[in-house]
Amino acid sequence: MERYQEIERSIVKKYRKEIWRPFVKAVQEYELIKEGDKIAVCISGGKDSMLLAKCMQELQKHGKIPFELVFLVMDPGYNEINRQTIINNAKLLNIPIEIFDTDIFNIVAEVDESPCYLCARMRRGYLYKNAKAFGCNKIALGHHFDDVIETILMGMLYSGQIQTMMPKLHSTNFEGMELIRPMYHVKEDAILHWKQYHELQFIQCACRFTENCTLCDNGGGGSKRQEMKALIKKFRSQSKIIDSNIFKSVENVNLDTVIAYKTKGVKHHFLDTYDRDDSLNKNESD
């Protein structure tokens, strides 16, 4: 058995509970894949997107819904070591990648305010554009469960709002294109265990701001997301259900007990209907 076959087998066997079942659950629960889809799996070179690629291959081989895959790698200006690391890993894992070049790192390097935000926006645009050129109608990103709950906490603590990273989105700039996140229910610890079990080395961020941590898995730096990772780690040491409850909090929003909320860009306040709708207060005690 080839090494890539052993790695594939581990996803559906050894890590069935931690990776495969949560992956399939997200695909089915959120209806992420439909018959006839052509999906561009976007590979950054990190552990998350590489595992996503393998999961998508396994689903294509063993699933009931026929769909096509393209494995898209955008080079935003990697140094030669990082680029070659991605190529070598793709070969090791039997992932037939398509690489295209951009100048994003050089452009972002000249920006003083929110360079990471601009980088992410530019990356997304290039990925949509190139995926569409390959005839794809969807792009798949490797965001996982921890990314979701970190986003929820960051929104609350630093933006004063309740929001989350959605499992799928329609593109607003590329008609007919959709973004999906099949790793939505997979926890980062499971991905790390899978990586470590197979002694795999992936790149991390690799931009000029973080090149010193290219082959690490802790994200490096002191970003707000790193603060959330540390906070969630502390929560998990205290309780096994806190992380799941953070996730469930955006599935169980009770609008009757929310002061204000926004939908389709329009803000609604509880006072808008307070005097006209006594039913809001039926279950309230004095």
Side-chain angles (χ1 to χ4, degrees), residues 228-242:
M228 296 304 101
K229 285 182 182 294
L231 185 59
I232 291 167
K233 184 177 181 180
K234 183 177 180 180
F235 286 155
R236 283 172 170 157
S237 70
Q238 298 171 341
S239 170
K240 295 181 179 180
I241 64 171
I242 290 181

Side-chain angles (χ1 to χ4, degrees), residues 53-258:
K54 294 310 299 177
C55 287
M56 293 294 280
Q57 282 182 323
E58 288 300 293
L59 188 64
Q60 186 184 42
K61 284 190 292 185
H62 304 298
K64 297 179 180 179
I65 300 175
F67 63 94
E68 297 181 62
L69 292 173
V70 174
F71 300 95
L72 208 55
V73 176
M74 180 189 67
D75 185 340
Y78 293 135
N79 61 41
E80 186 56 37
I81 294 175
N82 290 324
R83 183 182 175 106
Q84 194 59 47
T85 297
I86 295 174
I87 293 171
N88 292 344
N89 279 330
K91 184 177 180 180
L92 170 67
L93 296 172
N94 194 36
I95 303 171
I97 57 174
E98 301 282 351
I99 303 179
F100 68 93
D101 299 315
T102 71
D103 202 30
I104 291 178
F105 282 173
N106 287 335
I107 295 171
V108 173
E110 304 300 322
V111 177
D112 294 326
E113 187 174 345
S114 302
C116 294
Y117 174 78
L118 177 61
C119 181
R121 287 292 301 272
M122 293 181 69
R123 282 171 179 257
R124 190 72 55 82
Y126 275 113
L127 288 170
Y128 272 126
K129 179 180 178 181
N130 283 270
K132 197 163 188 176
F134 274 98
C136 298
N137 64 307
K138 293 179 179 178
I139 65 172
L141 302 184
H143 296 120
H144 47 65
F145 178 88
D146 290 62
D147 291 322
V148 177
I149 60 175
E150 288 161 17
T151 300
I152 295 169
L153 287 179
M154 283 195 298
M156 294 174 63
L157 300 179
Y158 287 103
S159 300
Q161 59 184 333
I162 296 176
Q163 61 179 11
T164 191
M165 180 182 284
M166 297 297 286
K168 64 180 181 180
L169 294 167
H170 289 292
S171 172
T172 55
N173 298 317
F174 294 85
E175 186 177 354
M177 295 293 292
E178 193 173 356
L179 179 156
I180 61 173
R181 294 183 169 106
M183 304 277 283
Y184 206 75
H185 288 311
V186 180
K187 294 187 178 182
E188 187 172 26
D189 272 353
I191 302 173
L192 282 169
H193 289 159
W194 171 80
K195 166 195 169 295
Q196 292 161 359
Y197 178 76
H198 293 292
E199 298 181 341
L200 299 169
Q201 287 291 335
F202 300 116
I203 73 168
Q204 182 58 33
C205 178
C207 76
R208 65 188 56 187
F209 301 113
T210 57
E211 280 191 334
N212 63 320
C213 66
T214 295
L215 292 176
C216 66
D217 283 301
N218 60 11
S223 70
K224 295 294 185 289
R225 190 166 289 275
Q226 288 306 116
E227 291 180 23
M228 296 304 101
K229 285 182 182 294
L231 185 59
I232 291 167
K233 184 177 181 180
K234 183 177 180 180
F235 286 155
R236 283 172 170 157
S237 70
Q238 298 171 341
S239 170
K240 295 181 179 180
I241 64 171
I242 290 181
D243 58 353
S244 295
N245 283 343
I246 294 171
F247 184 94
K248 290 176 182 176
S249 70
V250 293
E251 291 184 328
N252 298 309
V253 179
N254 185 349
L255 293 183
D256 291 345
T257 63
V258 172

